[in-house]
Amino acid sequence: MTTAFDAIVIGGGQAGPSLAVRLANAGQRVAMIERKFLGGTCVNTGCKPTKTMVASAYAARMARRGADYGVVLGEIGIDIKRVMARKEKVTLDSRNGLRDWLAATPNVTFIEGHARFRSPGQIEVNGDVLSGEKIFLNVGGRASVPDLPGVNDVPYLTNSSILQLDTLPRHLIVVGGSYIGLEFAQMFGRFGSEVTVVEKGPRLTGREDEDVSQAIHDILAKEGIAFRLKAECIKFRLQGDDIAVGVDCTDGAPEVLGSHVLLAMGRRPNTDDLGLEVAGIETDERGYIKVDDQLRTTAENVWAMGDCNGRGAFTHTAYNDFEIVAANLLDADHRRLSDRFPCYGLYIDPPLGRVGMTEAEARKSGKNCLIGGIQMSRVGRAVERGETEGFMKVLVDADSRHILGASILGASGDEVVHGILDLMYAKAKVDTLVRSVPIHPTISEFLPTVFAGLKPLQ
């Protein structure tokens, strides 16, 4: 027996449930399949839990700085069990909200289980066979565990398992000096752990400009986080109750001893156990599903959204994948991946908001570029808040007067950047922002000043 549906959605991340409900509301019979937890990475092991913990770490930091603001407090301590309980509640509330939403939507059948292609257009789950006129994959990704010497001989944490700790690491060694790793490094440093970051490259956040990377390094080092860069031959071994991480750096001791190790060295897609080859769905050499500009795979009537297609790897890009698919299928609106500007945040404190080109990319583009910037120490609201680390940097095409990109590292940088992003989507010239009259006192009020002071990129 085969149960027929108009659409089958596999994976309950950011794109899947939204698409399932949209299709169901259009009158289609939809099967929504999730093998573990609704909400995907964001709700369960990404944004929701980690930003909740970041908030706790920020509160601890501000409490310790109370005297700077004239606030007299006693000794500041961390109850990690309460931190984790608060995190768990935020996650469960969100996950349960998704379940209730699907349950309340007519035409949606929610199925818990591991889905695999049985043939083109057919899915097997829990021993049952489903057929779908259209199939949508939103299966996400997971932490990558590189085959480093000794890695399987020691206990290690990933971004998922570290969220289950109920005691503070005495010394957390974070292997990987990029976005996920640095977020956890600062967080646990503020909770009271000794933290060392091991990075293979010569600097942190290698995709960012060098001045941004250096500023991030300085911010974290000021809080007591140690770094071992240029760690070319990373290896692991047990030494008593500790874990020894070999770093083979040009400077410093050849090993770092810690109580816990977090591997933060990239992600991999959850595409290796879906039977994609049965359906004629092609992947690239890293396992990401190949899609065209409207998220269609190499198989007819199959789409791939979110982290598994390698075209974004963020919650906001996954949700935009849903919007693109829904617009094309239901609204006769030909939205495309190529309409999207790259944008993301690094959620250390202060955060980094990024959109469009970096300075390095602008130099390589061959465009006639202008650049502007300001230190956060010159921004009144940042001074008033006592959060003056970082800077703003913006890039503009001198010929078209369109904004090319921005890096906002500083207080509320992850929010401030949206004023720039919105203008880019509006295809407005930078003069529109220069002539605006923003609210005082805010961080954003300095954007017109920064853009008014553009100079040629040398």
Side-chain angles (χ1 to χ4, degrees):
M1 290 289 292
T2 300
T3 305
F5 290 90
D6 298 308
I8 298 174
V9 181
I10 302 174
Q14 289 303 298
S18 295
L19 182 61
V21 170
R22 182 72 200 282
L23 292 171
N25 286 339
Q28 299 186 29
R29 292 187 63 221
V30 182
M32 172 75 241
I33 307 172
E34 168 56 52
R35 77 166 100 185
K36 194 170 185 182
F37 297 134
L38 283 170
T41 297
C42 176
V43 167
N44 297 289
T45 60
C47 314
K48 287 286 184 180
T50 60
K51 303 312 171 282
T52 303
M53 293 172 67
V54 165
S56 293
Y58 178 76
R61 170 73 168 171
M62 295 306 292
R64 294 188 184 104
R65 292 188 60 201
D68 296 343
Y69 300 87
V71 179
V72 180
L73 300 170
E75 183 178 352
I76 306 301
I78 298 295
D79 184 338
I80 193 64
K81 288 183 172 61
R82 291 180 66 180
V83 170
M84 293 301 188
R86 179 173 178 270
K87 173 267 301 180
E88 195 68 11
K89 182 180 186 304
V90 170
T91 291
L92 288 176
D93 285 350
S94 184
R95 187 192 302 164
N96 292 335
L98 283 171
R99 182 182 288 273
D100 292 344
W101 185 36
L102 292 173
T105 303
N107 298 327
V108 172
T109 300
F110 177 54
I111 302 169
E112 293 183 88
H114 178 192
R116 293 180 59 92
F117 280 92
R118 181 170 178 172
S119 65
Q122 285 191 323
I123 299 294
E124 184 173 342
V125 56
N126 300 332
D128 299 323
V129 178
L130 316 179
S131 66
E133 294 182 13
K134 296 181 178 64
I135 297 175
F136 304 91
L137 305 176
N138 180 222
V139 294
R142 62 190 186 275
S144 176
V145 180
D147 187 21
L148 298 171
V151 70
N152 294 317
D153 299 329
V154 301
Y156 60 79
L157 300 165
T158 66
N159 70 293
S160 299
S161 57
I162 196 171
L163 298 177
Q164 306 309 314
L165 291 179
D166 60 3
T167 59
L168 275 179
R170 174 177 49 79
H171 183 180
L172 176 65
I173 302 175
V174 179
V175 183
S178 199
Y179 307 93
I180 294 174
L182 296 183
E183 184 177 305
F184 280 111
Q186 185 184 54
M187 180 198 306
F188 276 92
R190 290 181 169 188
F191 288 156
S193 298
E194 180 182 356
V195 178
T196 300
V197 175
V198 175
E199 167 56 39
K200 183 177 181 180
R203 58 188 177 92
L204 304 177
T205 57
R207 71 187 290 181
E208 306 300 335
D209 289 324
E210 290 191 21
D211 56 350
V212 175
S213 294
Q214 186 60 55
I216 291 168
H217 181 284
D218 294 345
I219 288 167
L220 298 178
K222 186 178 178 181
E223 295 192 23
I225 295 172
F227 297 96
R228 301 300 301 272
L229 306 177
K230 301 179 183 178
E232 291 294 337
C233 298
I234 301 171
K235 51 186 178 293
F236 305 87
R237 67 180 181 86
L238 289 174
Q239 181 168 314
D241 293 332
D242 282 336
I243 302 168
V245 181
V247 292
D248 195 27
C249 300
T250 54
D251 300 312
E255 287 186 324
V256 181
L257 290 179
S259 59
H260 296 72
V261 168
L262 168 65
L263 298 182
M265 304 179 73
R267 307 278 292 171
R268 58 178 296 186
N270 294 327
T271 58
D272 48 349
D273 58 359
L274 301 176
L276 298 180
E277 64 284 352
V278 174
I281 300 171
E282 295 181 9
T283 61
D284 65 15
E285 65 280 358
R286 299 169 61 196
Y288 290 100
I289 298 172
K290 295 179 180 179
V291 295
D292 66 10
D293 211 21
Q294 295 178 335
L295 285 311
R296 292 173 294 211
T297 71
T298 54
E300 187 176 1
N301 293 324
V302 181
W303 290 255
M305 307 174 295
D307 294 7
C308 67
N309 65 31
R311 302 294 291 273
F314 301 107
T315 297
H316 55 278
T317 53
Y319 189 81
N320 181 237
D321 285 358
F322 145 66
E323 294 176 315
I324 292 171
V325 171
N328 280 280
L329 291 179
L330 300 174
D331 302 329
D333 181 359
H334 302 298
R335 297 180 66 171
R336 301 168 300 175
L337 278 174
S338 54
D339 295 332
R340 194 157 71 197
F341 290 109
C343 60
Y344 53 88
L346 165 62
Y347 292 97
I348 61 165
D349 173 38
L352 169 68
R354 274 276 300 113
V355 62
M357 291 184 177
T358 63
E359 180 182 339
E361 290 169 339
R363 291 182 184 280
K364 293 177 182 178
S365 71
K367 295 179 182 291
N368 181 19
C369 297
L370 302 172
I371 189 170
I374 190 171
Q375 295 294 316
M376 295 300 289
S377 58
R378 292 180 55 203
V379 176
R381 187 62 185 276
V383 174
E384 294 152 10
R385 289 166 55 171
E387 299 175 342
T388 57
E389 295 170 306
F391 59 90
M392 303 184 191
K393 179 168 62 172
V394 299
L395 297 151
V396 171
D397 186 317
D399 299 321
S400 70
R401 300 290 292 175
H402 288 151
I403 300 173
L404 296 175
S407 300
I408 313 293
L409 174 63
S412 301
D414 55 331
E415 296 285 352
V416 174
V417 76
H418 286 92
I420 299 171
L421 178 61
D422 292 344
L423 207 68
M424 293 172 69
Y425 275 113
K427 297 181 172 59
K429 295 184 178 181
V430 66
D431 309 273
T432 302
L433 184 53
V434 172
R435 292 172 179 268
S436 69
V437 184
I439 296 171
H440 172 82
T442 59
I443 305 295
S444 295
E445 73 173 309
F446 272 80
L447 289 179
T449 302
V450 172
F451 281 108
L454 294 169
K455 297 179 180 179
L457 181 60
Q458 303 295 329

